[in-house]
Amino acid sequence: MNALLGTFHPYIIIIAIGLTTMASYTALDMFTLIRTSGQNKRLLFLGGTFSMGIGIWIMNFMGLISADTNRFASYHIPLTVLSIFIGVAFTGMAFLPFYGKVIRFYHYLIGGLFLTFAVIAIQVIGLYAMNLNVKYNIPLFTLLGLLIFGLFLFSLWILFSPKSYKQGHQIWLKPISAIIISAAIAEGHFLLKRATVTTSDLVRGSSTETPFFIYLVLFVTVLIICGLIVSSTLISKQLATTDTNLKDIKAALDSSTIVAITDPYGTIVFVNDKFEEISKYKQEEIIGKNHRILNSGYHSKEFFKDLWQTIQSGKIWRGEIRNKAKDGTYYWVDTTIVPFLDKNGKPIQYIAIRSDISDRKRAEEHLKETLKENIDIKFALDQSSIVAFTDERGIITSVNDKFCEISKYSREEILGRDHNILNSGHHSKVYFKDLWKTIGTGHVWKGEIRNRAKDGTYYWVDTTIVPFLDEQGKPYQYLAIRNDITERKQTEEVLHRQDKLAAVGQLAAGVAHEIRNPLTSMKGYAEFLQLDEKDPDRMEFLNIILDEIERVNTIVEDFMVLAKPKVVELEEKNVVPVIKNVVSLLEFEARKKNVSLSFDCNEEIIQIECDENRLKQVFLNFIKNGIEAMPNGGDLHVKTIIQDNNVQISIQDSGVGIPKEKLQKLGEPFYTTKKNGNGLGLMVSFKIIESHNGKVFVESEPNKGTTFNIFLPTKIA
Ligand code: ADP
Ligand code: MG
């Protein structure tokens, strides 16, 4: 042993360590290139493996040579080649685990183990190749083996651990690892040599000194290593340029989007900072997990099935996905998954590029809600009101069904027209001018308008016109919401008429009293004169006077009805006999005028609260009017119908009827179309019905007939 140590040439050892360091640096350079760039992977791997294998071998070879240059003569060339080959093979196996993307702890173990094997194998075979008979100190050998293993493990770890890999490939990592590895190799050589004991010192063959061969081997090795260094530098230079582009793209991608890489089974192998940020998972927590961990349960199974089918067939998938973050909150991502394919077109990994669209989704959701609300409001409006939109000039652009219904125009007829088409001429020009002034300046207008429908009938609408303003505050369209108030207007008209009646009544009351007194004396004296009168002519005149007095008297009496205070004495009475009585009273007159008078009554008893004599007057008026409306004869039909708590008494004739425009005049004092009429009958009758808490409705069609419907509240027995 002393001989061995004593005789080695230090300069050879220094050269050997230098070469080994260079070789392992080159090898590590290539292996790290594989990881960072991903191009020319196979070439880099072979180069790296070869370089490392040569590195280990040259250390061993030169170490042995340095011990005894003479030994070279007995060198066994095939064994040497074998040792190189085995060294390279073990190195290859050592670095194979680092070929993939994910690095686990056992990868370091395997790497370290195979590198140790490589060193030991080259050492052992090298000793044999030198024709040395050796004995091994097993415990020491094992201990040293473990030490070497530890060193390799450490250097691999600092080189490949994800942290250092990620933190930007610090430049010092490679040289340090290379030095540690070389140290491990050198240590392997020298210490292992110590663990071996050469038993036969020499089996000297031709012990000629042949340093030339040593130098040749040295030269070749240097040549190989230099070649490898040059090629690795060239490759890394070339890669660096493509890599910078790639790195720029990656940096841009990383800063702007959420990036994740998964293997073909969906296991996450890489995520960027943005991914961590949005998913709230730390890198350590998520790497190695299946992507399903983010499933929010929102999408159907078919959705993901389709996704997988697409990417598995090598196609790009795009879509919007709702994911669940670690804290249980949801986020929406617009996702593009790009499959990376191998030579056979099978995906080897998937890159998912996502952007956060949660805000947009929320806005969409909000929009959907408001839209739905709008639709609901529109529906409610359509159901309840007459709706029309016009443009800024008043041209109708859209109307709802109710609009068509009331105006009797179809949509086709009304769209594109202006609201003038509905003008009934009821309102003044100033009224509409004011309307336009209000809405034209962006204010809401409210009012009541009488419109004319297509068929010429009128309807009243309570109208609200809302201008829709553009950004400059100018109206670009108007929404008119109307409600039918025709009925209310009619009631108002009736009320108005009744007010008139009351006024007439007040006046009449005063006048009637004053007239009745002189009339009574006139009547008395005229009758008195009649008693002694013998002259038939004079007698005739007196009769006329008395008749006329009677006529004036009835008119005055009618007036008195109006004038009388509202409180009438109502008694509960059966109305059927009252009607029957009037009908039979008028039967004779009807027959004279060729009118058939009939009375229909389902009930025999209909109790109502009434003043019998006044009601009689009402029926008399209506039936008489009916008979008078049929100068050429006809049918007059009286019938009663019980409806809820009312009795409807209708008096229907087949007479001349009443034109529409005249219907409103009915009931006005002194409105008559008859020569001998006084135009008070209907007025008085309406008044009486009103005092009975009843109502009268008229239906009439010229030349067909008229029906007066009287509604009176019944008494429930
Ligand atoms: P008068 O009978 O004295 O004319 P009324 O008040 O009874 O006064 O009637 C007023 C007017 O109403 C009548 O002149 C007639 O024009 C019209 N009228 C009333 N009843 C009818 C009817 N059944 N058919 C047609 N017109 C009627
Ligand atoms: Mg009359």
Side-chain angles (χ1 to χ4, degrees):
M1 262 225 269
N2 278 341
L4 261 174
L5 283 172
T7 56
F8 74 62
H9 303 271
Y11 65 94
I12 293 187
I13 295 298
I14 290 165
I15 291 172
I17 289 178
L19 282 175
T20 307
T21 313
M22 276 155 77
S24 47
Y25 181 83
T26 312
L28 294 181
D29 195 28
M30 289 187 174
F31 287 128
T32 45
L33 271 180
I34 291 175
R35 299 200 55 75
T36 51
S37 81
Q39 291 182 40
N40 296 327
K41 270 184 155 187
R42 203 167 299 183
L43 192 69
L44 287 168
F45 185 77
L46 279 176
T49 311
F50 199 67
S51 181
M52 183 64 87
I54 294 277
I56 298 171
W57 173 78
I58 194 73
M59 182 75 230
N60 185 64
F61 177 77
M62 307 262 296
L64 286 178
I65 294 298
S66 73
D68 186 357
T69 39
N70 292 333
R71 292 231 188 276
F72 193 74
S74 57
Y75 211 84
H76 215 287
I77 302 294
L79 272 181
T80 307
V81 174
L82 180 72
S83 75
I84 294 177
F85 179 75
I86 287 177
V88 171
F90 275 137
T91 315
M93 278 151 98
F95 284 101
L96 206 54
F98 303 101
Y99 201 79
K101 277 270 176 220
V102 202
I103 297 176
R104 301 271 152 76
F105 182 65
Y106 70 87
H107 290 157
Y108 299 114
L109 290 180
I110 292 173
L113 199 69
F114 276 112
L115 278 178
T116 315
F117 282 166
V119 171
I120 292 174
I122 288 177
Q123 165 84 12
V124 170
I125 298 171
L127 284 175
Y128 274 110
M130 289 279 184
N131 280 332
L132 286 172
N133 284 331
V134 285
K135 249 195 181 163
Y136 295 97
N137 180 347
I138 299 295
L140 188 62
F141 199 88
T142 320
L143 190 74
L144 290 172
L146 280 175
L147 194 67
I148 298 165
F149 171 69
L151 277 175
F152 281 136
L153 197 64
F154 178 64
S155 61
L156 286 176
W157 179 77
I158 61 165
L159 195 63
F160 290 119
S161 84
K163 257 184 228 154
S164 58
Y165 167 58
K166 221 192 117 210
Q167 275 160 12
H169 338 289
Q170 283 102 330
I171 13 156
W172 50 266
L173 274 178
K174 255 182 285 179
I176 287 197
S177 313
I179 288 168
I180 295 174
I181 284 186
S182 312
I185 294 167
E187 186 237 74
H189 170 70
F190 290 110
L191 297 184
L192 286 176
K193 210 153 75 180
R194 286 207 168 202
T196 57
V197 185
T198 28
T199 46
S200 82
D201 254 355
L202 289 176
V203 190
R204 281 200 186 203
S206 53
S207 62
T208 40
E209 299 200 358
T210 46
F212 170 72
F213 279 104
I214 302 169
Y215 295 125
L216 189 70
V217 169
L218 242 162
F219 180 69
V220 169
T221 321
V222 169
L223 219 62
I224 291 173
I225 290 174
C226 284
L228 283 169
I229 290 172
V230 169
S231 59
S232 95
T233 341
L234 281 181
I235 290 174
S236 77
K237 270 245 174 76
Q238 186 209 337
L239 285 180
T241 46
T242 42
D243 267 11
T244 4
N245 284 338
L246 279 177
K247 266 179 201 144
D248 287 349
I249 293 169
K250 193 174 168 296
L253 210 63
D254 267 356
S255 60
S256 62
T257 47
I258 302 152
V259 182
I261 301 176
T262 71
D263 70 3
Y265 311 101
T267 307
I268 298 170
V269 294
F270 170 79
V271 295
N272 71 347
D273 292 349
K274 285 224 162 238
F275 188 103
E276 284 185 308
E277 207 177 283
I278 195 165
S279 73
K280 305 206 171 75
Y281 283 104
K282 286 258 147 5
Q283 230 179 48
E284 306 81 84
E285 294 171 316
I286 195 96
I287 286 187
K289 297 271 165 56
N290 193 287
H291 217 286
R292 265 190 303 256
I293 193 170
L294 301 172
N295 192 343
S296 65
Y298 177 86
H299 305 282
S300 64
K301 272 200 177 136
E302 285 69 43
F303 179 86
F304 287 110
K305 218 169 135 186
D306 167 71
L307 184 160
W308 275 103
Q309 259 168 12
T310 310
I311 59 173
Q312 269 168 354
S313 64
K315 285 189 227 116
I316 293 174
W317 184 89
R318 279 200 185 86
E320 293 177 353
I321 301 184
R322 191 180 85 162
N323 278 343
K324 193 166 80 175
K326 190 187 174 188
D327 62 359
T329 56
Y330 297 113
Y331 60 92
W332 275 94
V333 277
D334 179 70
T335 306
T336 305
I337 304 179
V338 185
F340 278 36
L341 310 178
D342 65 7
K343 250 192 273 156
N344 307 320
K346 273 198 143 190
I348 42 169
Q349 66 177 12
Y350 300 109
I351 297 205
I353 299 163
R354 301 174 171 91
S355 51
D356 185 1
I357 52 164
S358 305
D359 287 346
R360 197 194 83 201
K361 277 280 169 186
R362 260 194 294 277
E364 267 178 24
E365 206 69 17
H366 183 70
L367 199 70
K368 248 190 231 161
E369 264 166 40
T370 17
L371 261 180
K372 200 191 160 293
E373 222 167 76
N374 276 350
I375 289 169
D376 289 349
I377 292 172
K378 193 175 171 303
F379 179 76
L381 202 66
D382 273 351
Q383 290 303 305
S384 62
S385 306
I386 301 153
V387 182
F389 278 96
T390 69
D391 66 9
E392 76 283 1
R393 291 165 300 157
I395 305 292
I396 299 168
T397 53
S398 113
V399 295
N400 70 348
D401 291 346
K402 280 200 169 266
F403 187 101
C404 296
E405 209 175 283
I406 195 163
S407 71
K408 310 222 167 67
Y409 283 102
S410 70
R411 259 204 189 80
E412 295 73 47
E413 288 168 324
I414 201 89
L415 292 185
R417 302 294 295 269
D418 135 328
H419 258 118
N420 258 337
I421 194 176
L422 301 174
N423 194 342
S424 64
H426 177 86
H427 307 281
S428 65
K429 272 200 176 141
V430 180
Y431 188 80
F432 286 113
K433 224 174 162 180
D434 170 67
L435 183 162
W436 273 104
K437 210 172 122 189
T438 310
I439 60 174
T441 52
H443 297 99
V444 174
W445 185 89
K446 277 197 178 104
E448 292 176 354
I449 299 182
R450 192 179 81 161
N451 280 343
R452 197 177 63 193
K454 192 186 173 188
D455 64 355
T457 55
Y458 298 109
Y459 59 92
W460 276 91
V461 277
D462 173 76
T463 306
T464 305
I465 305 179
V466 185
F468 283 33
L469 307 180
D470 61 16
E471 270 146 35
Q472 283 89 45
K474 275 196 145 192
Y476 64 92
Q477 71 170 4
Y478 300 105
L479 165 63
I481 303 164
R482 302 178 171 88
N483 284 300
D484 186 0
I485 50 162
T486 312
E487 211 166 291
R488 199 192 82 204
K489 277 281 169 186
Q490 275 166 358
T491 334
E492 269 174 21
E493 266 164 38
V494 170
L495 283 175
H496 180 67
R497 201 162 62 207
Q498 281 171 350
D499 280 354
K500 245 197 219 162
L501 278 183
V504 171
Q506 293 291 313
L507 186 77
V511 179
H513 260 294
E514 296 307 314
I515 295 173
R516 269 224 329 195
N517 293 340
L519 270 184
T520 320
S521 29
M522 277 162 81
K523 196 183 170 189
Y525 285 111
E527 277 169 349
F528 178 72
L529 287 176
Q530 245 185 349
L531 290 177
D532 300 331
E533 197 50 70
K534 300 284 175 339
D535 184 348
D537 270 357
R538 280 170 168 266
M539 191 66 178
E540 175 67 23
F541 293 154
L542 281 172
N543 269 336
I544 291 174
I545 290 174
L546 276 173
D547 275 357
E548 290 300 305
I549 288 173
E550 193 50 41
R551 213 165 104 80
V552 173
N553 208 26
T554 35
I555 292 175
V556 169
E557 248 165 38
D558 280 344
F559 268 117
M560 297 291 281
V561 170
L562 297 178
K564 271 204 180 134
K566 266 206 173 146
V567 263
V568 272
E569 306 257 305
L570 299 183
E571 296 172 75
E572 198 177 318
K573 272 260 159 72
N574 184 2
V575 79
V576 180
V578 180
I579 305 171
K580 269 189 180 154
N581 191 290
V582 176
V583 169
S584 58
L585 207 78
L586 286 170
E587 242 163 13
F588 177 69
E589 199 184 329
R591 215 173 302 140
K592 262 206 314 203
K593 298 232 168 124
N594 216 2
V595 170
S596 84
L597 184 56
S598 63
F599 176 48
D600 254 14
C601 180
N602 294 331
E603 325 277 323
E604 271 310 306
I605 301 171
I606 303 169
Q607 293 288 102
I608 59 170
E609 292 263 333
C610 66
D611 177 334
E612 194 184 335
N613 282 326
R614 299 228 154 169
L615 266 194
K616 262 189 193 164
Q617 198 184 342
V618 170
F619 299 137
L620 209 76
N621 272 336
F622 285 135
I623 297 172
K624 262 190 151 170
N625 276 349
I627 294 170
E628 281 160 8
M630 299 181 283
N632 305 318
D635 296 313
L636 198 140
H637 200 64
V638 182
K639 69 177 173 203
T640 60
I641 303 165
I642 300 281
Q643 258 185 7
D644 301 328
N645 295 331
N646 286 307
V647 56
Q648 178 190 346
I649 303 154
S650 52
I651 297 141
Q652 183 179 22
D653 65 54
S654 57
V656 291
I658 307 163
K660 255 194 189 108
E661 60 275 16
K662 294 280 154 58
L663 272 177
Q664 289 188 352
K665 296 222 161 225
L666 293 188
E668 275 187 18
F670 311 117
Y671 168 70
T672 178
T673 54
K674 295 165 199 165
K675 242 195 203 156
N676 297 322
N678 58 21
L680 288 174
L682 285 182
M683 180 181 77
V684 169
S685 304
F686 289 166
K687 189 87 189 169
I688 293 169
I689 297 296
E690 194 193 318
S691 66
H692 281 73
N693 301 318
K695 276 183 195 144
V696 182
F697 293 95
V698 194
E699 294 164 30
S700 184
E701 225 179 296
N703 300 322
K704 286 250 170 83
T706 308
T707 308
F708 282 87
N709 293 303
I710 304 160
F711 289 87
L712 288 167
T714 53
K715 266 272 160 206
I716 309 153

